Amino acid sequence: MANQAESLRILAIHAHPDDIEIQCAGTLARLKNLGCHITMATMTAGDCGSAEMGPVEIANVRRAEAQKAADMLGADYMCLEFRDLAIIVDNESRRRVTEAVRKARPDIVLTAPPVDYMSDHEMTSRLVRDACFGASAPNYTTHEIQPAPPTEKIPHLYYVDPIEGCDYFGNPIEPQFIIDISETFDLKIKMLACHESQRAWLRKQHGLDEYLDGTERWSASRGEQIGVKYGEAFVQHCGHPYPHSNLLKELLESK
């Protein structure tokens, strides 16, 4: 399995800078340690994530923070340049996300859950699901000037936890499996700490001032469910014709 991992490509794609770090950076670090190639992608650059800076200024700050976090992991980073609170499911958006999947050429995709507390997350989930399906269809064009070629297959697709593991009614969503990230949790937190602009924003907009502590508490809660210090939870998309073998779990439980 270790030899197989060295040839595998992983794409983690979520709505905003910091979503990946909060929900699956520990798992990405474990995959990186196995030798997998990692690409981190955000749909937006976080242009609405400030009460003091304008959209262009905060987007530049947040892109740089996302790049810093990716560099810390040794991952590639790309931003698809959607706007905050304006991610919608239409064909233009689907083509843009399909192009990103074709560029990353992943064997495994980690993305936002279908049900979460805000539309950007849910629309990202839907678009990534569609893009994983369409990326291997040669006649589905992305209208790019220099498009990436179609992929050879549909990748394994996984959804990360919704925020605090709940749907928008506050009902808990049970994961299919939880990955032990105890050994990589410190790196996860260091990556999240790169997003310095978010502490002020969340304190003002959400009334929260526990950016890192809250992530630690939730990771500890998921870890407790499987008897380890820290964990990250996932649900696999197994609808027709996506792969049904649980490659992510097999990779990380085979050591």
Side-chain angles (χ1 to χ4, degrees), residues 22 33 54 57 68 73 84 92 95 167 184 218 229:
I22 291 171
N33 289 343
E57 184 180 4
K68 182 178 178 181
L73 181 63
D84 280 353
E92 179 185 353
R95 292 182 195 280
D167 64 18
T184 56
W218 182 247
K229 191 170 184 180

Side-chain angles (χ1 to χ4, degrees), residues 62-238:
R62 296 196 68 189
R63 277 193 213 92
E65 290 173 343
Q67 184 68 62
K68 182 178 178 181
D71 289 346
M72 192 171 288
L73 181 63
D76 294 337
Y77 170 69
M78 61 174 159
C79 179
L80 277 64
E81 301 299 338
F82 287 85
R83 302 276 75 83
D84 280 353
L85 303 176
I87 301 173
I88 61 171
V89 175
D90 61 11
N91 211 27
E92 179 185 353
S93 301
R94 190 177 292 111
R95 292 182 195 280
R96 197 188 311 185
V97 180
T98 298
E99 181 67 24
V101 172
R102 286 175 175 173
K103 287 179 178 177
R105 315 200 71 75
D107 299 284
I108 294 173
V109 174
L110 311 180
T111 195
V115 176
D116 208 345
Y117 79 102
M118 70 169 301
S119 177
D120 278 356
H121 291 199
E122 295 181 346
M123 298 304 101
T124 294
S125 183
R126 172 67 184 276
L127 287 168
V128 172
R129 187 198 76 185
D130 290 354
C132 287
F133 183 93
S136 61
N139 288 346
Y140 186 63
T141 59
T142 61
H143 297 166
E144 294 290 322
I145 296 175
Q146 294 182 311
T151 57
E152 291 77 26
K153 59 189 177 184
I154 295 174
H156 290 73
L157 175 61
Y158 297 87
Y159 303 118
V160 302
D161 254 340
I163 293 298
E164 297 180 346
C166 295
D167 64 18
Y168 32 66
F169 300 112
N171 300 314
I173 293 177
E174 291 299 319
Q176 289 179 348
F177 63 99
I178 297 170
I179 295 297
D180 180 3
I181 62 161
S182 303
E183 295 180 1
T184 56
F185 181 77
D186 286 348
L187 177 57
K188 171 188 174 81
I189 286 294
K190 289 176 181 176
M191 290 171 65
L192 181 57
C194 292
H195 297 272
E196 297 174 1
S197 67
Q198 285 308 281
R199 183 184 175 193
W201 167 246
L202 292 175
R203 186 168 57 233
K204 183 176 181 65
Q205 180 72 8
H206 295 226
L208 299 174
D209 193 16
E210 54 173 18
Y211 199 44
L212 303 182
D213 291 345
T215 298
E216 180 171 9
R217 281 197 303 274
W218 182 247
S219 298
S221 177
R222 282 307 196 200
E224 184 179 10
Q225 292 181 250
I226 58 170
V228 301
K229 191 170 184 180
Y230 297 114
E232 290 173 342
F234 298 90
V235 171
Q236 183 175 6
H237 186 97
C238 289

